[in-house]
């Protein structure tokens, strides 16, 4: 009986997270209500509060679903500029938009989410990147690189992958690598 209850709990929690991600992505934080999430997830509002506490905490869970800058920083230091360039090129040219980036863009004007968004960008990109860089300006260098990375995600969300006459993928990566080499140089 406990195993069935656990699976149901996990399934309900997953449905709520999926519904919240979908709604935050489509509508933004301000427009999403707990009742909307409840209806989309086919779950009682009380369960949302029980599992996540509040809409703000649920939004934080949705942001955390993206994971930490997946595998991008797991390369030797000399390969880091190219790996960052590949990641940004992929974001710029991807048909598949990041649901978390869409939720961030649609929720950026909400003062209630600013701290969550700042914390998420810091923990997922800025801090791990700064930890990889040598020298006293590591945090500043990581901030510049983070601006390029998040800006590329925003640009991709706003314009789509075919909005610009971009050169071939390797040329884009080569140019971005030069930019990242310059901003990561100590």
């Amino acid at each position: 009986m406990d195993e069935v209850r656990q699976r149901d709990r996990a399934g309900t929690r997953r449905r709520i997270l999926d519904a919240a991600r979908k709604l935050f992505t489509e509508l933004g934080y301000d427009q999403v209500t707990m009742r909307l999430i409840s209806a989309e997830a086919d779950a009682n509002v009380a369960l949302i509060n029980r599992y996540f506490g509040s809409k703000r905490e649920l939004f934080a869970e949705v942001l955390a679903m993206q994971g930490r800058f997946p595998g991008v920083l797991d390369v030797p230091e000399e390969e880091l500029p190219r790996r960052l360039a590949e990641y940004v090129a992929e974001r710029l040219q991807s048909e598949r938009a990041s649901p978390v980036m869409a939720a961030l863009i649609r929720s950026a004007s909400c003062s209630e989410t600013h701290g969550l968004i700042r914390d998420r960008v810091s923990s997922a990109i800025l801090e791990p990147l700064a930890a990889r860089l040598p020298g006293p300006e590591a945090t500043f260098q990581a901030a510049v690189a983070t601006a390029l990375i998040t800006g590329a995600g925003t640009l991709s969300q706003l314009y789509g992958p075919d909005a610009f006459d971009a050169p071939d993928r390797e040329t884009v990566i080569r140019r971005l690598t030069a930019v990242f080499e310059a901003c990561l140089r100590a």
Side-chain angles (χ1 to χ4, degrees):
M1 182 74 167
D2 284 350
E3 187 174 302
V4 171
R5 194 173 292 144
Q6 283 294 343
R7 266 191 270 149
D8 189 42
R9 177 187 166 124
T12 301
R13 192 173 195 289
R14 171 55 50 198
R15 281 196 331 272
I16 292 167
L17 272 171
D18 290 344
R21 180 178 57 192
K22 177 182 183 281
L23 292 168
F24 288 137
T25 297
E26 292 173 359
L27 304 173
Y29 184 86
D30 281 336
Q31 301 304 313
V32 174
T33 65
M34 294 295 256
R35 289 188 192 279
L36 220 68
I37 296 167
S38 170
E40 182 73 27
D42 192 27
N44 188 305
V45 172
L47 287 175
I48 299 173
N49 290 324
R50 181 176 174 198
Y51 294 154
F52 300 98
S54 68
K55 182 172 96 167
R56 187 176 189 278
E57 291 173 78
L58 179 55
F59 185 74
E61 288 265 349
V62 168
L63 295 182
M65 290 172 76
Q66 177 77 22
R68 286 186 177 249
F69 215 24
V72 175
L73 301 179
D74 300 335
V75 296
E77 187 175 330
E78 64 275 3
E79 294 175 27
L80 189 56
R82 179 167 175 95
R83 185 62 195 106
L84 291 169
E86 291 168 345
Y87 180 81
V88 169
E90 173 63 29
R91 292 277 42 94
L92 287 173
Q93 298 173 332
S94 177
E95 293 288 335
R96 186 178 52 89
S98 163
V100 171
M101 183 57 76
L104 288 173
I105 290 169
R106 287 188 177 80
S107 304
S109 64
C110 175
S111 62
E112 190 175 343
T113 63
H114 285 176
L116 290 173
I117 293 169
R118 183 184 57 245
D119 291 347
R120 185 64 192 147
V121 169
S122 290
S123 68
I125 304 171
L126 181 63
E127 291 167 359
L129 183 55
R132 289 285 319 270
L133 301 175
E137 294 183 352
T139 302
F140 174 73
Q141 293 164 301
V144 173
T146 300
L148 291 169
I149 294 161
T150 57
T154 302
L155 197 67
S156 177
Q157 287 289 319
L158 294 174
Y159 291 98
D162 299 322
F164 308 103
D165 292 331
D168 64 277
R169 180 173 168 74
E170 191 52 43
T171 301
V172 170
I173 291 170
R174 191 175 65 252
R175 290 178 182 172
L176 286 168
T177 298
V179 171
F180 279 112
E181 284 173 345
C183 75
L184 298 178
R185 197 173 302 128

